[in-house]
Amino acid sequence: MRRYKRQILPEDTEKYTLANLNLREEKSTTAKVLTVIPAGSKVQVVDAAEDWYEVIYNGIKGYVYNEYLSKTEYTWTDTVLRPFADSATTPIENVPVKSRVQVLGTVGDWSHVIYNDKEGYIFSVFLKNTLFYFCMYFLKVEHVFLL
């Protein structure tokens, strides 16, 4: 089996746990559990390889399985963070174009996110993943063609 190392971008060094999560001594489900990280906790990402992230939580360094961490996405336009998945609710905060958010999950057409340490909802159509973000904004691509 080929092993691969995931590239950690400078702005992708913080993630949130999606469930109570075992922080393990090694990259294995049978490795010693150092502590249990509560759902919704912020962890610092040190490295990533295969299906595991090396993280620091409360000063303890260990490994967590990647499926239980938030996903990084970016806004492609100005939008707002709302307290519920409903456009009729009063916004919590304005979210400018090119902002990084951590996606915890989805509820219909809405993404449950954390932005600036505030939890809420953004209409999913206003979010794009890392690849799109880098193509459109950092590489100054003016047109994207989908084949």
Side-chain angles (χ1 to χ4, degrees), residues 12-108:
D12 204 20
T13 57
E14 292 180 345
K15 295 212 173 266
Y16 291 84
T17 57
L18 302 178
N20 290 341
L21 187 56
N22 291 328
L23 181 63
R24 297 186 177 273
E25 191 171 61
E26 299 175 13
K27 295 184 271 186
S28 169
T29 56
T30 58
K32 177 183 173 186
V33 175
L34 301 173
T35 190
V36 176
I37 305 170
S41 298
K42 186 190 296 188
V43 297
Q44 179 185 355
V45 175
V46 176
D47 198 11
E50 299 162 24
D51 293 333
W52 295 86
Y53 278 93
E54 183 178 10
V55 301
I56 298 172
Y57 173 72
N58 280 351
I60 304 170
K61 187 185 279 189
Y63 297 89
V64 296
Y65 193 68
N66 72 344
E67 291 298 316
Y68 298 101
L69 292 178
S70 59
K71 308 295 183 232
T72 302
E73 294 202 10
Y74 299 87
T75 58
W76 61 267
T77 188
D78 293 336
T79 188
V80 293
L81 182 69
R82 297 187 180 275
F84 303 102
D86 182 349
S87 60
T89 59
T90 302
I92 297 171
E93 183 171 346
N94 290 325
V95 182
V97 64
K98 302 181 188 178
S99 293
R100 178 178 59 94
V101 300
Q102 292 297 313
V103 178
L104 306 175
T106 57
V107 177

Side-chain angles (χ1 to χ4, degrees), residues 102-115:
Q102 292 297 313
V103 178
L104 306 175
T106 57
V107 177
D109 292 332
W110 294 83
S111 291
H112 183 201
V113 303
I114 295 180
Y115 170 71

